[in-house]
């Protein structure tokens, strides 16, 4: 056992690992979660995991039992009804709710249960819907029903700690801060206003799914019995208050006791409890509250009698039968007993203690992380909140990470790198916009500005105007281990914490994500002064002569600089702008040319190829599209890499072949091959006009990919802005014509850079499935141009280049994604973590993993295409030549 775990157990050993349970945590993982070997799963707030023992019991049950439709009258249907009755009782028992007071209504999930309450609640013009800022979108959606019926709606913040004194006194030390009241046009509701009592609804979560804060359940009695004082005499507090608790997140480790906290409605989803089944939840409703719900729709199972051709229906009287539309998911309902059996064997109190120990460990460790300049690494949300009505934490830690200069790492960067490390977590706002805005300090103006800039849920725009738009969340379940938490902490330390003595470690960027340590700036200044004096000498001597001088100087300064000497790393990195081609003297040559006629399909290499105003002629001029309009790429259809292409310029034919198709497809490059139909397509801020092909061509590609699709050819493209800021959805190259390329006309890759990458992969002991070190080919990156010569990453400093008589402008580095981890092995598409994982360790700049150079072809003013403009393998490359 390592010392870190020993220290953890000294602090948390009494609570961690089920020491008094039927199995220890290590035994649980070894026997019931073997599929997690090598994987760290930290998104239990999103969906916890089912155990293999649980599923074995479910499958055995289904394989040996016969379940009939509960609306039938057969023996097997009666057996099913009995199983469902037992399941309802298990749910009530879990919340310590008496069947005399509560009913369990099965729904398709917690969201459906919330929708049922909002839809059937007796809203009136005098009603109010009050909810805490920390609420899921599924709760906020109830607001639409309330406002639609003329009721008022408003959010509140609970501002002070609530002590357990509500049962002894009506004076309770709790105060709410009320947000603005929302109300829609009132006049149209008055004439149909119902008479009688006014009912209001207050909704809050038992646990905030953003921060993990648990609300004190005494709020139930306080709102029901003392709302007038809490709302300080506001006219909107008239009438009877009913309370709804969203327990979907909180009940997995801390189920509420309804005998002590008699809420009117509680919602739950079972996959949040024990992983399976999905698509099943429940509304637990007090009998008197359920009778107030008015349901318009009726269906099979909810009526005692109805007549088809007149307005007559007699509804069933039992609450469950009245609200469960159609045939319930009876097989799923039958399976929840196996999930409850798992939880009951461990006991909820032990699960709560186990997950709390991991949560506290991660929270404390993250808060203690600092960069080498003393700046804090992590902001944990809710860690300093003393004005929220809660008494403990749920097993959630939400946070964002800062660079040493105080700027934010984007949460999507964290998520992508975590995925490469085998860590599954969640990022964004977690469908909780109120908590997200509250903890991140986002004003209404900020939120509206973000939306106007194009930011929506689940996109990649994680930092807008210098502020995070969401957070990173890790959450724990009953099967989580110390090893899960430790691997996550090690990942954060290794990927985002700036440590001393990191300079000179092979970071070849001109702009690094980790700044030069303050204590070394004066030594660096001295180094640069001497380097400047050496530049005239360098301009008249070869690189090899210069390399003999620099090591002597660097060796003398290495202790002062506090780093390990590496002559090549320093010579590549510390290059003054404008002198790079001199300092890195050497010849560069064009090694290969590759054209990819169909986006995301395989390309072909050639010795020479003509240029056009869109790049290499015919490069990414075709695209495949599904029948639903989705553009097909290898990210979603990896098999596209098996489709081979080639072009015969003399015959004017595009040849396409696939291992799934016997015939090689031939497509004329002339326009008469179109079927005459055209359509407009938008890809990454680029608008295209595409021409379609006949059924024969489309059928060939559909067979090759195993799904219906059609082929389109680009006939015209126009770059444009998608929003006022011009930053969202805009192509990198907005000044030139593009075919169906993502960012630029060309991608250039250096063989020397790839060789350095392979050395790093090998030294990092990244092995393939056969145990042989992974070897990455330059073609893995789908380049158009592969060059050879010079030092690794010399291309990072190129502003422009000349190849033969052709000129190109650099658009910067290419941001890499998971697509480079796909490899075709013997006709099978395999995916690994490499080379992206290694690239992420040393090629990261402000959230991007850069490798390769994007280029734009420069043609003469007013000239559509230079005559006889060709690229040829073997041509010399002249960096920074104009």
């Amino acid at each position: 056992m390592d010392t870190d775990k020993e220290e953890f157990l000294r602090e948390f050993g009494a609570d961690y690992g089920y020491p008094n349970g039927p199995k220890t945590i290590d035994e649980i993982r070894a026997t019931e979660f073997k599929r997690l070997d090598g994987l760290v799963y930290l998104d239990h707030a999103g969906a916890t995991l089912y155990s293999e023992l649980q599923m074995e019991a479910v499958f055995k049950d289904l394989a040996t039992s016969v379940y009939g439709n509960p609306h039938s009258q057969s023996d097997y249907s009666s057996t099913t009804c009995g199983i469902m009755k037992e399941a309802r009782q298990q749910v009530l028992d879990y919340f310590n709710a008496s069947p005399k007071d509560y009913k369990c209504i099965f729904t398709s999930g917690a969201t459906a249960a919330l929708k049922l309450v909002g839809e059937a609640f007796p809203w009136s013009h005098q009603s109010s819907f009050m909810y805490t800022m920390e609420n899921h979108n599924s709760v906020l959606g109830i607001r639409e029903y309330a406002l639609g019926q003329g009721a008022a709606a408003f959010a509140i913040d609970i501002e002070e700690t609530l002590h357990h004194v509500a049962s002894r006194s009506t004076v309770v030390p709790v105060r709410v801060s009320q947000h603005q009241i929302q109300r829609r046009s009132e006049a149209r509701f008055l004439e149909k206003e119902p008479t009688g009592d006014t009912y209001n609804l207050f909704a809050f979560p038992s646990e905030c799914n953003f921060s993990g804060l648990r609300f004190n359940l005494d709020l139930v009695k306080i709102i029901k019995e003392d709302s007038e004082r809490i709302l300080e005499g506001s006219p909107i507090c008239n009438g009877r208050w009913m309370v709804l608790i969203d327990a979907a997140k909180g009940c997995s480790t801390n189920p509420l006791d309804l005998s002590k906290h008699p809420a009117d409605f509680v919602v739950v989803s079972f996959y949040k409890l024990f992983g399976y089944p999905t698509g099943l939840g429940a509304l637990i409703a007090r009998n008197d509250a359920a009778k107030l719900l008015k349901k318009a729709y009726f269906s099979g199972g909810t009526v005692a009698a109805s007549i088809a051709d007149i307005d007559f229906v007699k509804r069933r009287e039992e609450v469950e039968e009245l609200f469960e539309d159609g045939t319930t998911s009876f097989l799923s309902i039958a399976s929840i007993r196996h999930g409850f059996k798992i939880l009951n064997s461990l006991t909820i109190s032990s699960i709560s203690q186990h997950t709390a120990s991991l949560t506290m460990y991660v929270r404390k460790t993250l808060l203690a992380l600092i960069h080498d300049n003393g700046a804090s690494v992590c902001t944990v949300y809710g860690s300093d909140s003393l004005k929220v009505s809660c008494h403990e934490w749920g097993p959630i830690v939400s946070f964002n990470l800062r660079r040493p200069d105080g700027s934010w790492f984007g949460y999507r960067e964290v998520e992508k790198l975590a995925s490469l490390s085998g860590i599954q977590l969640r990022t964004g706002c977690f469908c909780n916009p109120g908590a997200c805005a509250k903890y991140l300090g986002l004003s209404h103006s900020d939120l509206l500005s973000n939306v106007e800039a194009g930011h929506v849920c689940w996109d990649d725009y994680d930092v807008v105007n210098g502020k995070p738009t969401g957070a990173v969340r890790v959450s724990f379940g009953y099967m989580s281990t110390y090893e899960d938490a430790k691997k996550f902490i090690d990942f954060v330390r290794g990927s985002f914490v700036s440590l001393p003595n990191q300079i000179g470690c092979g970071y070849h960027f001109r702009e690094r994500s980790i700044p030069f340590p303050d204590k070394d700036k004066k030594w660096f200044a001295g180094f640069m002064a001497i380097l400047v004096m050496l530049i005239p000498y360098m301009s008249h001597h070869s690189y090899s002569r210069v390399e003999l001088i620099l090591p002597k100087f660097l060796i003398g300064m290495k202790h002062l600089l506090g780093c390990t000497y590496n002559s090549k790393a320093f010579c590549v990195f510390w290059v003054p702008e404008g002198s790079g081609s001199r300092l890195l003297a050497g010849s560069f040559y064009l090694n290969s040319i590759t054209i990819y006629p169909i986006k995301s399909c395989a390309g072909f290499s050639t010795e020479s190829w003509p240029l056009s105003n869109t790049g290499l002629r015919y490069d990414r001029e075709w695209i495949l599209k599904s029948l639903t309009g989705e553009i097909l790429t290898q990210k979603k259809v990896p098999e596209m890499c098996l489709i081979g292409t080639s072009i015969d310029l003399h015959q004017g034919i595009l040849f396409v072949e696939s291992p799934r198709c016997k015939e090689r497809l031939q497509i004329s490059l002339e326009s008469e091959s179109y079927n005459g139909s055209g359509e407009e397509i938008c890809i990454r801020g680029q608008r295209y006009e595409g021409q379609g092909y006949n059924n024969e061509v489309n059928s060939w590609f559909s067979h090759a990919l195993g799904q219906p699709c059609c082929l389109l050819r680009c006939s015209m493209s126009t770059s444009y802005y998608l929003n006022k800021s011009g930053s969202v959805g805009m192509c990198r190259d907005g000044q030139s014509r593009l075919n169906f390329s993502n960012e630029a006309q060309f991608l250039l890759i250096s063989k020397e850079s790839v060789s350095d990458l392979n050395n790093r992969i090998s030294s990092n002991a990244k092995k393939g499935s056969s145990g042989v070190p992974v070897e990455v080919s330059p073609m893995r990156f789908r380049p158009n141009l592969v060059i050879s010569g010079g030092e690794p990453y010399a291309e990072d400093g190129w502003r422009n280049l000349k190849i033969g008589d052709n000129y190109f402008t650099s658009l910067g580095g290419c941001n890499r994604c998971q697509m480079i981890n796909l490899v075709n092995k013997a006709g099978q598409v395999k995916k690994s973590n490499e080379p992206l994982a290694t690239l992420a360790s040393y090629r990261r700049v402000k959230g991007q993993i850069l490798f390769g150079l994007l280029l734009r072809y420069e043609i003469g003013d007013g000239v559509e295409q230079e005559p006889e403009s060709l690229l040829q393998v073997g041509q010399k490359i002249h960096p920074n030549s104009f």
Side-chain angles (χ1 to χ4, degrees), residues 379 381 400-403 405-410 413 463 466-468:
T379 296
Y381 298 112
N400 272 311
L401 301 172
R402 289 184 183 268
R403 298 184 177 90
D405 64 2
S407 63
W408 297 98
F409 287 105
E413 177 182 359
V463 179
K467 293 182 178 180

Side-chain angles (χ1 to χ4, degrees), residues 8 92 146 192 201 279 317 384 447 462-463 465 509 522-523 532 611 674 738 763-764 793 829 834 843 858 872:
F8 168 81
L92 295 179
K192 58 179 182 180
L201 183 64
E317 296 182 0
D384 58 351
L447 297 172
D462 45 19
V463 179
N465 297 323
F509 294 117
K522 60 182 180 180
W523 300 113
V532 168
L611 294 165
Y674 304 149
L738 299 175
S763 65
N764 289 340
Y793 314 105
V829 181
E834 292 298 354
R843 296 288 297 180
E858 300 293 348
Q872 291 184 317

Side-chain angles (χ1 to χ4, degrees), residues 37 109 129 296 495 546 568 583 781 786 812 862:
D37 186 32
F129 175 48
S495 302
V546 174
K568 289 187 178 181
L583 194 60
F781 301 94
V786 177

Side-chain angles (χ1 to χ4, degrees), residues 413-440:
E413 177 182 359
V414 179
E415 184 174 30
K416 290 174 183 176
L417 294 177
S419 180
L420 288 173
S421 297
I423 300 172
Q424 307 302 307
L425 42 74
R426 177 96 177 252
T427 63
C429 279
F430 326 124
C431 299
N432 196 326
C436 187
K438 180 176 180 177
Y439 287 110
L440 298 182

Side-chain angles (χ1 to χ4, degrees), residues 536-556:
Y537 180 86
M538 295 171 187
S539 65
H540 295 91
H541 296 80
S542 69
Y543 177 78
S544 58
R545 295 273 310 274
V546 174
E547 198 175 27
L548 294 175
I549 297 172
L550 287 179
K552 295 177 182 178
F553 170 70
L554 292 173
I555 289 172

